[in-house]
Amino acid sequence: MTDAAASGGDLLITDIGQLVDPGKGAFSAPLEVVGDAFVWIRHGRVAATGPMVDLPGDATGTPVFDAGGQVALPGLVDSHTHAVFGATREHEFEQRLAGASYEEIAEQGGGIGFSVRDLRTRSEDELVLLSRPRLAAAAHFGVTTVEVKSGYGLATEQELKMLRVVARLAAEPKLPRLVPTFLGAHALPAEFANDRAAFVRLIVDEMLPAVATESLAEFCDVFCDRGAFTRDEAETILRQAAKLGFGLKIHADEFVPLGGTQLAVELGAASVDHLVAVDEAGIDALAGSDTVATLLPGTSFFLRLDRHAPARELANRGANLALATDFNPGTSMTQNLLLMVTFGCCFLGLTVGEALRAVTRGGAMALRRSDLGTLIPGAGGDVALFGVPDYRHLAYHYGMGHCAATIKSGEVIWRQDEPGSRFPA
Ligand code: NIG
Ligand code: FE
């Protein structure tokens, strides 16, 4: 699938110190580095890349962007966020620092429940205003595509409101490309506390058809875990979603394995996300399947869980891996996808090359977008430029604002040295 909006951008990026395309090669193969390189983007798509000496003659006349020796990668893909929300939840961060767990806070009415009560009081316009700078900040880290989930509405009109916010922001040229996901099954809302089945029916009979009618989401996700939805509830919702044409995703095995991972593979889901508590049966199911294992090491870090998803075993068994921020006000308050690259290395045991593949091609696969996360000719013209001497600094020199410019479909959407540009945000 491609963007209708991905047209028009013509740009010739010259004098790239290291051109690295993690979209090429096997997941664990060393990355290929091309020195003194160019990327030529025509009509918003990659026309050619290579060493400057091979620059095609017909590229002359294209507006030039001099990279000044910087490192270029395909625009990064953040394939799992909850970036539309109202209030932040720093009070819960302090509660966790004082010893409370995420699940305890949720049981006491905090967590997702807090964000739901808050979001229901806010207008669509207000949510657009709050979400715009939060999404713009992703581009400050080289991110050109962001998946955004609903799931803080949990009532039909409220979920539609959230997704309309995403649709409005998706039309803004200076923001990253947005991919909307319907996550009505994020938590059981208080008004259905005594009737789970009725809430599942509401999702199946009312919410999913309404979201489909307005074409407001590409994917449907379910939070399948202790304290959220069961495997059978997830299956009921996702089978209906598949019938209506949605791609599928599952939040699974964050706290306990309920079979959500196996269900994701069985249903041909695009991704299964979290996997901190995945068991051998889940790993067996993922090995060699097309369902991407999306790992969110920022969440384990921020929740102070002392365990992480078994990335090394998954990679060794041939699973496709993505890394994402899980950006949300409760469990992962960051848009910094490069930090997930460092966490992928230090907490999950990935190599720098694997971690960079996981935030480019891996993220793109989790969104079923083979034209993103790579710079092969014909791919979307998304490029991230970084002011580092060597691409390995993107993992090694961690937590920094290395990104110098972010280009989406051949258009510069953010530059660090632009007047009024802010970093970090
Ligand atoms: O992916 N696990 C469920 N949902 C989010 C948390 C959302 C929240 O706490 O607001 C997650 O971590
Ligand atoms: Fe999530």
Side-chain angles (χ1 to χ4, degrees):
M1 141 161 241
T2 55
D3 290 307
S7 62
D10 286 348
L11 202 63
L12 177 62
I13 308 170
T14 58
D15 195 20
I16 295 168
Q18 291 187 337
L19 173 63
V20 181
D21 183 2
K24 291 186 193 161
F27 183 71
S28 299
L31 292 178
E32 190 187 297
V33 178
V34 182
D36 193 22
F38 74 91
V39 174
W40 178 26
I41 301 168
R42 277 190 75 195
H43 310 311
R45 305 239 137 231
V46 177
T49 65
M52 286 297 289
V53 290
D54 294 343
L55 188 65
D58 46 357
T60 42
T62 308
V64 171
F65 187 108
D66 184 345
Q70 290 172 338
V71 170
L73 267 84
L76 310 185
V77 180
D78 193 350
S79 62
H80 182 140
T81 84
H82 308 253
V84 170
F85 55 87
T88 51
R89 297 186 352 225
E90 55 277 17
H91 55 282
E92 290 182 8
F93 179 61
E94 285 195 306
Q95 285 174 280
R96 285 203 304 280
L97 295 180
S101 73
Y102 177 69
E103 288 176 279
E104 284 161 3
I105 293 169
E107 278 159 22
Q108 290 154 20
I112 296 168
F114 175 93
S115 289
V116 170
R117 289 192 301 279
D118 172 77
L119 182 127
R120 287 178 174 182
T121 67
R122 296 183 191 265
S123 69
E124 198 180 299
D125 287 348
E126 195 181 357
L127 289 167
V128 166
L129 282 176
L130 285 167
S131 304
R132 182 182 290 122
R134 290 173 180 154
L135 285 162
H140 302 188
F141 301 96
V143 173
T144 49
T145 303
V146 182
E147 185 257 16
V148 187
K149 300 175 195 295
S150 69
Y152 292 133
L154 307 188
T156 307
E157 270 312 312
Q158 299 292 341
E159 286 291 303
L160 292 174
K161 175 176 77 179
M162 270 189 94
L163 291 169
R164 289 183 193 125
V165 170
V166 181
R168 278 171 61 179
L169 294 169
E172 296 196 10
K174 284 282 188 180
L175 290 179
R177 176 185 300 100
L178 305 184
V179 177
T181 294
F182 168 67
L183 176 58
H186 195 193
L188 192 65
E191 59 275 21
F192 284 90
N194 297 319
D195 198 352
R196 307 181 59 84
F199 186 63
V200 172
R201 275 200 308 277
L202 183 71
I203 292 174
V204 167
D205 296 339
E206 191 176 291
M207 292 192 201
L208 275 169
V211 174
T213 302
E214 282 192 50
S215 300
L216 283 172
E218 288 183 34
F219 292 93
C220 174
D221 195 346
V222 173
F223 185 14
C224 175
D225 217 309
R226 183 171 65 199
F229 293 87
T230 66
R231 185 206 167 284
D232 288 351
E233 289 165 343
E235 181 167 1
T236 303
I237 293 164
L238 293 172
R239 284 199 185 277
Q240 169 71 356
K243 269 193 214 146
L244 293 170
F246 293 91
L248 309 181
K249 291 179 168 287
I250 306 189
H251 279 66
D253 305 349
E254 181 176 2
F255 303 112
V256 289
L258 297 183
T261 299
Q262 295 90 310
L263 176 66
V265 174
E266 202 182 305
L267 297 179
S271 72
V272 55
D273 304 37
H274 281 290
L275 301 172
V276 175
V278 67
D279 57 13
E280 276 309 311
I283 296 173
D284 286 346
L286 280 167
S289 93
D290 283 342
T291 299
V292 174
T294 299
L295 310 183
L296 309 163
T299 306
S300 312
F301 163 79
F302 203 59
L303 290 182
R304 309 171 78 205
L305 305 178
D306 46 16
R307 54 186 186 155
H308 284 275
R312 204 54 275 155
E313 192 181 350
L314 285 164
N316 293 347
R317 298 279 309 275
N320 296 305
L321 298 192
L323 287 168
T325 60
D326 197 12
F327 172 45
N328 75 78
T331 67
S332 189
M333 188 62 184
T334 186
Q335 293 96 324
N336 188 345
L337 189 55
L338 277 187
L339 191 56
M340 302 310 129
V341 170
T342 299
F343 286 178
C345 297
C346 295
F347 293 143
L348 302 182
L350 300 179
T351 66
V352 175
E354 288 173 332
L356 289 173
R357 283 203 170 92
V359 294
T360 50
R361 186 176 61 196
M365 286 173 74
L367 300 179
R368 295 272 157 96
R369 289 288 300 249
S370 55
D371 61 327
L372 301 179
T374 181
L375 292 169
I376 54 165
D382 291 3
V383 180
L385 291 170
F386 299 100
V388 288
D390 180 285
Y391 77 88
R392 289 169 294 191
H393 280 238
L394 298 176
Y396 159 68
H397 190 176
Y398 72 97
M400 302 299 291
H402 291 307
C403 186
T406 306
I407 294 155
K408 178 187 75 172
S409 303
E411 308 278 357
V412 178
I413 61 167
W414 183 75
R415 274 185 91 145
Q416 188 158 174
D417 54 5
E418 212 164 63
S421 163
R422 287 182 305 134
F423 185 86

